[in-house]
Amino acid sequence: MKNIRDFTLSELEEELVNIGEKKYRAKQIFAWLFRNVQDFDEMTDLSKELISKLKENYYIKNLEVANSLKSKDGTVKFLFRLNDGNCIESVLMKYKYGNAACVSNQVGCKMGCKFCASAGIGFVRSLTTGEIVSQILELENQTGEKVSNIVFMGIGEPLDNYENVLKAITIINDPKGLNIGARHISISTCGIVPKIIQLADENKLQCNLCISLHSSRNEVRSSMMPINNKYKIEEVIEACKYYIEKTNRRVTFEYALVDGVNDSLSDADHLAKLLHGMLCHVNLIPINKIKDGIYEKSSTEKILKFRDRLNDKGIVATVRRELGSDISAACGQLVRQSQKD
Ligand code: SAH
């Protein structure tokens, strides 16, 4: 049995031909999938024969709600159980411009960033395309809200699950799929350089690229993020410049401020120098303390001074609003909970 949400429209056309059906049926089925039907029987314009053939070969549902929490600020976090019993988390955040879905792309993560809760839980497996797309559909289904923006900032490293993430983006972007414009889709990465270059070359969709930078000094960044031992800051920046050149899109650098580690004014100057002349934006994040974490949040005063210093040096920087921290749904606080939950 295959998950029917794993396919882009053109793949579904091939599937249909392979089971002896007309290609155009794929469009009908695809459209139903994004009207959020849970069962083939709900696809009322298909013949009984086709529905039973679909049931023999495919299934639709691939996650169920194991738990949910609602924050004071309206953010809702869901713990979804996958068909194999593993759990992931997805978050719906409300902004003035619309609702953003923060989706996971792996069960656990291999990257081992010292400040991130997802690292502490190890790596189990990558999600399929269907499991990624279903998080958005299920968020809409559960909350009755429409999602207008997608951020790949949940559990996992999207560029370590490149193929499935890109396929999910194709489906999310498809006018017959979720119909969300590429400019409303953001991929956040810890900086896997060859994949950034591949994304620049292949990403005709031009979605937003966010880089988890967190320090402009290799020594400091390596102590926070093991990936920096493999791809140094200079290489990441080169790859970003290539991305900008190819896509004409502004890159976002995420920078979580840690007290006494990366938050001095000289750190701000160093960062400004590194990013000088780039089409970019710096998103400053007050770091969230995780269980057994060694890092402490910088004071608000320090964060604002850091921001002002960057702005003075011509680097656009803003402080990210913290949503959902009371329900452990803010950055780095997503943890895969045990299967019995
Ligand atoms: N693996 C991807 C996406 C997941 S993390 C990446 O590394 O970008 C999403 C964002 O949250 C990243 O910018 C990450 O660095 C940040 N983050 C992780 N842990 C955090 C914490 N404890 N406090 C604040 N931000 C955190």
Side-chain angles (χ1 to χ4, degrees):
M1 291 282 266
K2 299 177 185 172
N3 180 3
I4 198 150
R5 285 188 184 151
D6 271 339
F7 304 113
T8 62
L9 179 54
S10 57
E11 287 173 340
L12 193 59
E13 286 174 344
E14 263 177 54
E15 285 286 320
L16 271 263
V17 172
N18 287 343
I19 59 166
E21 291 292 328
K22 294 268 184 304
K23 190 174 147 183
Y24 75 88
R25 292 282 178 210
K27 277 206 182 75
Q28 274 173 289
I29 298 166
F30 197 74
W32 279 116
L33 290 176
F34 298 97
R35 268 179 260 159
N36 224 341
V37 302
Q38 309 288 331
D39 203 303
F40 291 111
D41 289 323
E42 293 174 58
M43 301 183 175
T44 49
D45 57 356
L46 305 182
S47 69
K48 287 222 162 50
E49 292 74 31
L50 177 53
I51 289 179
S52 61
K53 214 183 222 179
L54 291 173
K55 284 184 182 171
E56 277 164 35
N57 292 282
Y58 308 100
Y59 62 93
I60 301 181
K61 220 170 151 57
N62 58 17
L63 38 92
E64 59 179 50
V65 179
N67 204 347
S68 71
L69 285 170
K70 194 163 182 178
S71 159
K72 292 197 288 274
D73 60 34
T75 302
V76 201
K77 176 172 83 164
F78 286 90
L79 181 72
F80 289 128
R81 186 178 295 110
L82 306 166
N83 284 350
D84 66 358
N86 280 304
C87 288
I88 49 159
E89 289 187 340
S90 322
V91 184
L92 186 94
M93 296 168 288
K94 293 188 174 176
Y95 290 97
K96 279 197 208 83
Y97 58 75
N99 297 317
C102 177
V103 296
S104 295
N105 75 89
Q106 292 178 320
V107 181
C109 186
K110 295 177 201 162
M111 298 301 136
C113 299
K114 297 282 190 297
F115 46 84
C116 181
S118 304
I121 53 184
F123 176 76
V124 179
R125 67 172 176 87
S126 285
L127 299 188
T128 62
T129 299
E131 288 168 334
I132 297 170
V133 172
S134 291
Q135 292 172 63
I136 305 158
L137 291 171
E138 209 50 42
L139 283 176
E140 289 189 339
N141 202 20
Q142 293 294 326
T143 61
E145 299 274 351
K146 188 93 192 103
V147 167
S148 56
N149 289 66
I150 312 286
V151 297
F152 282 87
M153 293 190 189
I155 303 170
E157 167 50 48
L159 298 190
D160 185 44
N161 185 15
Y162 187 89
E163 225 170 274
N164 292 349
V165 166
L166 269 248
K167 244 169 73 172
I169 290 175
T170 305
I171 296 171
I172 292 165
N173 186 244
D174 194 320
K176 292 207 163 48
L178 282 162
N179 194 21
I180 295 177
R183 287 163 184 240
H184 298 269
I185 304 171
S186 301
I187 301 183
S188 181
T189 176
C190 62
I192 302 182
V193 167
K195 294 290 176 189
I196 296 173
I197 292 167
Q198 194 178 343
L199 189 66
D201 285 334
E202 295 177 350
N203 182 17
K204 293 174 204 80
L205 298 171
Q206 302 203 325
C207 44
N208 304 308
L209 177 68
C210 307
I211 304 286
S212 295
L213 189 64
H214 307 315
S215 176
S216 55
R217 306 180 201 273
N218 278 311
E219 213 181 284
V220 178
R221 192 169 191 265
S222 294
S223 74
M224 300 171 81
M225 306 173 70
I227 191 74
N228 199 65
N229 294 309
K230 195 157 180 194
Y231 305 112
K232 293 276 172 277
I233 293 170
E234 296 71 24
E235 293 173 70
V236 174
I237 297 295
E238 274 314 301
C240 289
K241 285 183 177 161
Y242 184 69
Y243 190 86
I244 295 166
E245 193 188 301
K246 282 276 178 172
T247 63
N248 239 329
R249 301 289 293 146
R250 183 177 79 162
V251 168
T252 298
F253 291 99
E254 297 161 283
Y255 195 107
L257 288 141
V258 186
D259 191 38
V261 173
N262 62 1
D263 64 345
S264 71
L265 289 181
S266 111
D267 290 324
D269 291 342
H270 198 264
L271 177 63
K273 210 165 157 197
L274 179 75
L275 303 183
H276 178 77
M278 267 178 98
L279 183 63
C280 70
H281 170 250
V282 176
N283 211 198
L284 298 171
I285 315 167
I287 200 153
N288 294 301
K289 181 120 202 220
I290 56 165
K291 195 170 161 277
D292 304 325
I294 49 170
Y295 297 127
E296 296 291 338
K297 194 183 271 197
S298 310
S299 67
T300 307
E301 197 194 338
K302 255 178 144 180
I303 295 174
L304 295 179
K305 276 195 177 144
F306 196 96
R307 179 199 62 188
D308 293 345
R309 185 68 158 243
L310 287 176
N311 287 336
D312 286 348
K313 301 245 161 178
I315 306 289
V316 183
T318 49
V319 180
R320 181 185 284 176
R321 254 177 79 210
E322 286 182 276
L323 291 178
S325 50
D326 56 328
I327 55 165
S328 287
C331 303
Q333 292 185 297
L334 295 179
V335 192
R336 177 175 58 91
Q337 296 190 7
S338 74
Q339 296 179 12
K340 63 181 166 21
D341 275 329

